[in-house]
Amino acid sequence: YPRITAVLDTIASWGLINWLIRKASPCKMCAKCGNCEILNKFRPNAKITSPLEFSCLLFEGKTIGEVAADYGSGAHDQLFHYFSGHEIDLTPANPFHISISPVIEWSKTVKFEPVQIEQQVISNKYGFGGHLDMLAKVNGVLSVIDWKTSNEIRWTYLLQSIAYKQAWNESHPAEQATECYIFRLPKLKADQKIEDLKDPKGEVLYIPPDKHEELLNVFLMILSVYTMDKKVLTTPKKIREWLSLQKGG
């Protein structure tokens, strides 16, 4: 089965993803002004007023599955060790402190209980798989936790979290995850210092359960595009075979 991240890499075209969102989410994005009701609920301080602004905000950079910068990877590892029960430096002397402390502090404000870390999940129903970062109970509710290294939240992060939830729930009928959170960690380039970032602090984003089905539908549409592109219509010959046509002169 393809990895969830590989499926999402299919949507390199901004025009394609905007079309997919409109098809899967009718009436959620105004065709006239491009205002996205869904995203604005997640980020109330980041109002989106035009399709161009929408695209730039969500798809900064073209590769969804790119390797995170060294700083982001380090911050990710720090959280991995912390939530695995290992001791880490929680003082400002830790170079990752400014990024990981909001996430750690948030976990202390709720009843946070890690259940699984770096867990492989597979959806046999839809044919995809991946590794979710963490499964945890938040105030007693089993939740998918996804860690992202980025200086902005992206639409595909929401899709990825929901895909993980779908895959986990298929194989664990007695342990259904019902909520999803994204831990966003800032991304520092090689020539940057932490003080150069506009928003150096990490953040926790919650995906409301009433949006899960809608987001899953978008992901499944992209999965269909991936399947056609990577498995079915890969060569002119296969295209003709798929159309039941004979190669002519």
Side-chain angles (χ1 to χ4, degrees), residues 1-247:
Y1 293 150
R3 293 175 294 106
I4 294 171
T5 50
V7 171
L8 293 175
D9 276 342
T10 303
I11 51 173
S13 166
W14 293 352
L16 174 60
I17 188 57
N18 278 299
W19 178 83
L20 285 172
I21 293 170
R22 283 183 171 86
K23 285 291 185 181
S25 310
C27 302
K28 289 300 181 181
M29 180 186 291
C30 173
K32 182 178 180 180
C33 70
N35 186 54
C36 176
E37 296 177 9
I38 300 175
L39 186 67
N40 284 336
K41 287 184 179 179
F42 299 142
R43 298 297 298 274
N45 296 324
K47 293 296 181 182
I48 300 168
T49 58
S50 72
L52 177 60
E53 184 182 357
F54 177 82
S55 296
C56 291
L57 179 62
L58 296 181
F59 297 100
E60 177 187 359
K62 67 178 182 179
T63 304
I64 303 300
E66 64 186 354
V67 177
D70 289 344
Y71 182 89
S73 297
H76 185 287
D77 289 343
Q78 289 279 294
L79 288 180
F80 179 90
H81 287 293
Y82 176 81
F83 287 117
S84 295
H86 300 288
E87 291 187 5
I88 64 171
D89 184 0
L90 296 176
T91 71
N94 184 336
F96 306 104
H97 177 266
I98 194 170
S99 299
I100 66 175
S101 58
V103 174
I104 293 175
E105 290 306 312
W106 172 83
S107 71
K108 294 178 180 178
T109 65
V110 297
K111 187 178 179 181
F112 193 85
E113 180 185 349
V115 176
Q116 297 279 351
I117 296 180
E118 295 290 346
Q119 176 68 37
Q120 182 179 18
V121 292
I122 295 175
S123 169
N124 288 310
K125 180 178 181 179
Y126 296 113
F128 64 83
H131 285 81
L132 63 83
D133 289 327
M134 177 189 288
L135 199 73
K137 289 185 178 180
V138 180
N139 293 325
V141 179
L142 194 60
S143 307
V144 168
I145 310 292
D146 199 22
W147 303 336
K148 288 299 176 190
T149 303
S150 176
N151 290 329
E152 187 49 86
I153 186 63
R154 299 173 183 171
W155 178 264
T156 48
Y157 298 165
L158 311 183
L159 302 181
Q160 188 172 355
S161 294
I162 298 304
Y164 286 140
K165 172 177 168 279
Q166 172 65 32
W168 169 269
N169 286 347
E170 281 185 31
S171 55
H172 298 81
E175 300 176 274
Q176 296 283 285
T178 56
E179 297 191 343
C180 293
Y181 295 82
I182 298 174
F183 291 2
R184 186 187 66 79
L185 308 177
K187 183 177 181 179
L188 197 69
K189 296 179 181 179
D191 58 346
Q192 284 184 310
K193 296 180 179 179
I194 189 66
E195 55 266 25
D196 295 332
L197 297 178
K198 292 182 179 180
D199 182 16
K201 294 184 178 180
E203 63 178 332
V204 178
L205 297 111
Y206 172 69
I207 306 177
D210 64 342
K211 301 302 180 186
H212 291 191
E213 182 177 358
E214 185 173 26
L215 291 168
L216 179 61
N217 287 339
V218 175
F219 175 79
L220 294 178
M221 290 184 71
I222 299 169
L223 178 61
S224 296
V225 174
Y226 173 92
T227 301
M228 294 292 283
D229 182 53
K230 303 296 183 181
K231 295 185 178 181
V232 181
L233 309 181
T234 55
T235 66
K237 180 180 178 181
K238 288 188 176 182
I239 293 173
R240 290 187 175 91
E241 290 174 349
W242 186 73
L243 293 171
S244 298
L245 298 176
Q246 295 295 324
K247 184 176 181 180

